[in-house]
Amino acid sequence: MRRNLLYPSSAQTISATRRDFLRGAIGTLSAASISSAALASQTASVLRPTQKTIVVTFGGGARDEETFAKDGQENIPNLLHTLLPQGTFFSHVVNAGILGHYVATASIVTGSYERFDNFIAQPPPNPTLFEYYRKGLRRPASDAWVIAPSNGFQRIGSSSHSSFGPDYGAGVILPKRLLAAALHNSKSLDADRLSYLLQDSYEMPLYQPLQTSIDHELHLDTLSSTLKLSVDEFLQHARSLDSADELSIFITKQLMKQHAPSLMMLTLHDMDIAHSGAYSLYIDAIQRADRLCAELWSMVQTDPEYKDRTTLYILPDFGRDGDTDPGGNGFQHHRTGGAMARTTWMLALGPHLRQNTIVDRPIQSIDLVPTIGSVLGFSTNSSGKPIRELL
Ligand SMILES: [Zn+2]
């Protein structure tokens, strides 16, 4: 029997349940705002010249039980009570692709379900959002960045497509590689103490360094030329942080300050520690991601370059396995391909978007790229469809 991955019947249930939980949680949604029928009337062209876009993915995803369901809501107070009332929430986002973090994130940024081996660091075959953006709008290299705590994401900034490629891609910053290079350079005695910030993410391609000394030099150059940070400043700040995701937010802040890029993607990945089986650390990471999303939105609203001109999209790359799925081990992994692991959500906030709105109709994670293309005014060759509620 052919399985319908796109709209599994139980996914409808997940979505409806998620909506009901939300209605109970925030209580202020009007009947009209729950309907997806009414669309924003402002045209994107009004905002186009100065718009900025930030995409945040949760690498590893988080299940409803630990987030939007009744028992999980205490973990996401910022998403629920601060951000959701300011944005449009999609309760039924389907990822019908491969549930590995690198290939799934590549699928989100190309708008096509990529089929390559998740464990090999390689450029996606289809053009990325960054290439469409930079080529289509003739934007400079300094305008598009990816910040990825997973070292294996080193090739995600551009594709191997013959009409695009690195000349049009995003700069990719791997905060853990920056930190490793800084520690090496300073001969710091902190290396052991900071090792918790250096541990690479789970189930990723292996990082493929150039010759070690060249590799360190490249990362140190990023630190000084791009982020305008000295090794000492960087290490001093790192010592004050609790996790790799916090390090990524710090890098994001520094990029915003130095270059005010118009297109950024940030992957938060602490929560994938769930693979180790440590439920409490998985919960800590969800709570941290929730806090960091609010911190990022606050950074946006207090920076004149970003305030009132930035659209923020937050979405997990996919979910995790259900507790009752006999093929899995509950929250720990995402290996069954079941509806819990494929059905997630997206929250979008921006000056042209409806606030306090929940959209129930199914969309796909590959719809994001053509949506951003339509909003900003460049064409994409994605198999996804622009999300009409966000145009
Ligand atoms: Zn994972």
Side-chain angles (χ1 to χ4, degrees), residues 59-60 101 202-203 269 272 275 318 320 332 334:
H101 299 297
Y202 294 77
E203 302 198 337
H269 221 106
D272 211 35
H275 286 296
F318 43 79
R320 309 191 80 87
Q332 193 170 352
H334 36 81

Side-chain angles (χ1 to χ4, degrees), residues 55 57-58 95 102-114 129 265 315-318 365-370:
V55 177
T57 66
F58 286 2
N95 181 333
Y102 181 54
V103 67
T105 308
S107 300
I108 290 173
V109 302
T110 62
S112 301
Y113 287 121
E114 302 293 353
L129 168 65
M265 187 181 84
L315 72 164
D317 53 5
F318 43 79
S365 48
I366 57 168
D367 294 339
L368 182 59
V369 163

Side-chain angles (χ1 to χ4, degrees), residues 275-321:
H275 286 296
S276 73
Y279 186 76
S280 63
L281 296 181
Y282 163 60
I283 295 295
D284 284 350
I286 290 171
Q287 294 173 348
R288 190 179 305 118
D290 173 72
R291 174 171 57 78
L292 292 175
C293 285
E295 203 174 295
L296 178 62
W297 188 239
S298 171
M299 280 155 51
V300 161
Q301 296 308 331
T302 52
D303 184 332
E305 289 283 343
Y306 287 85
K307 183 176 165 48
D308 297 333
R309 64 170 74 164
T310 301
T311 305
L312 172 64
Y313 304 92
I314 304 170
L315 72 164
D317 53 5
F318 43 79
R320 309 191 80 87
D321 296 334

